[in-house]
């Protein structure tokens, strides 16, 4: 019984061992098959990803070939995306600077220095007959943050002239001057119209006194009169594309410096009526001077409007 029992158990154990071995082998084979399929799938997927990424990199870089790793490709693509975002931000910042959208802090400084706000601004209009406004065009991207910011600020301060037909930018300053005089002449019946840069401190009483001396001059063009060289080199800061119109010696005609100049009512009306045919040059002060060359205009060289007369 014991011997038979041992023999039976041994055979059963042996049979179980063989069966277990087959099962183990079968399971191992199945595992190996699954692993092989899995690894093959991953390799195929990675291969496909590699092809896609390399094609994407080729598309981004514009190169026909690339022999870099997937990791490096991912890093380069990420870098490229960051560069795009940085470039976009730098472009937006540069555009804001170029477009002349003076910051609210700067305008607040002007308001506090001489222009006033609210009741003070209104009092200057009623008692002194002087209307002061910031003049600004629209953003190159209508309705963007710049436009919305100006609209909000204007609702609070009510001291803007917003020129809807002008895209704000340094290259459009001559057009801006022309549109400003047109707008102001049509809106306010004033004796004089003054263009003043936003970095100029204006003493209102002194300005009023200076202009009062010219009330009897109906076609007065008042400012710090100058001439100056015309630059024909495109790389020069003051390049004039129409340089050839100014003669062989390339010298500008007499005109008022752009920091501040004043024109009488008759001249402002002239600009308003003829705005569609008035030529502009590279610079706003030269452009304004050109409008009055063929007219019987009195050029008043006012020393108080010159830089040399300004104190700290």
């Amino acid at each position: 019984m014991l011997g038979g029992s041992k023999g039976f158990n041994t055979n059963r154990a042996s049979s179980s061992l063989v069966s277990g071995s087959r099962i183990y082998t079968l399971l191992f084979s199945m595992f190996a098959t699954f692993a092989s399929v899995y690894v093959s799938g991953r390799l195929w997927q990675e291969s496909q990803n590699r092809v896609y990424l390399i094609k994407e990199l080729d598309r981004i870089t514009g190169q026909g070939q690339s022999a870099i790793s997937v990791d490096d490709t991912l890093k380069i693509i990420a870098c490229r995306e960051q560069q795009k975002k940085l470039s976009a931000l730098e472009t937006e910042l540069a555009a804001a600077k170029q477009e002349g959208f003076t910051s609210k802090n700067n305008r607040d400084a002007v308001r506090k220095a001489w222009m006033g706000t609210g009741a003070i601004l209104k009092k200057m209009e009623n008692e002194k007959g002087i209307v002061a406004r910031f003049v600004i065009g629209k953003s190159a991207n209508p309705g963007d943050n710049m436009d919305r910011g100006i609209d909000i600020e204007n609702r609070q301060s009510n001291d803007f002239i917003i020129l809807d037909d002008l895209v704000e930018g340094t290259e459009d300053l001559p057009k801006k001057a022309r549109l400003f005089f047109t707008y102001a002449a049509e809106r306010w019946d004033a004796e004089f119209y003054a263009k003043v840069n936003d970095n100029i401190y204006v003493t209102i009483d002194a300005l009023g006194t200076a202009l009062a001396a010219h009330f009897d001059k109906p076609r007065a063009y008042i400012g710090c009169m100058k001439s100056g060289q015309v630059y024909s080199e495109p790389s020069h800061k003051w390049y004039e594309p129409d340089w050839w119109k100014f003669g062989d010696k390339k010298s500008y005609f007499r005109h008022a410096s752009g920091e501040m100049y004043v024109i009488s009512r008759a001249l402002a009306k002239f600009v308003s009526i003829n705005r569609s045919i008035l030529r502009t040059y590279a610079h706003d002060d030269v452009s304004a001077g050109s409008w009055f060359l063929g007219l019987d205009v009195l050029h008043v060289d006012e020393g108080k409007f010159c830089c040399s007369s300004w104190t700290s």
Side-chain angles (χ1 to χ4, degrees), residues 233-250:
E233 302 80 16
S235 60
H236 197 279
K237 179 181 179 180
W238 305 115
Y239 170 59
E240 173 59 72
D242 289 325
W243 58 268
W244 56 275
K245 293 183 179 180
F246 296 91
D248 296 334
K249 293 185 178 180
K250 294 192 297 186

Side-chain angles (χ1 to χ4, degrees), residues 227-233 236 238 240 249-252 255 283 286:
S227 182
Q229 180 181 353
V230 179
Y231 293 95
S232 58
E233 302 80 16
H236 197 279
W238 305 115
E240 173 59 72
K249 293 185 178 180
K250 294 192 297 186
S251 178
Y252 284 121
H255 62 279
H283 313 298
V286 173

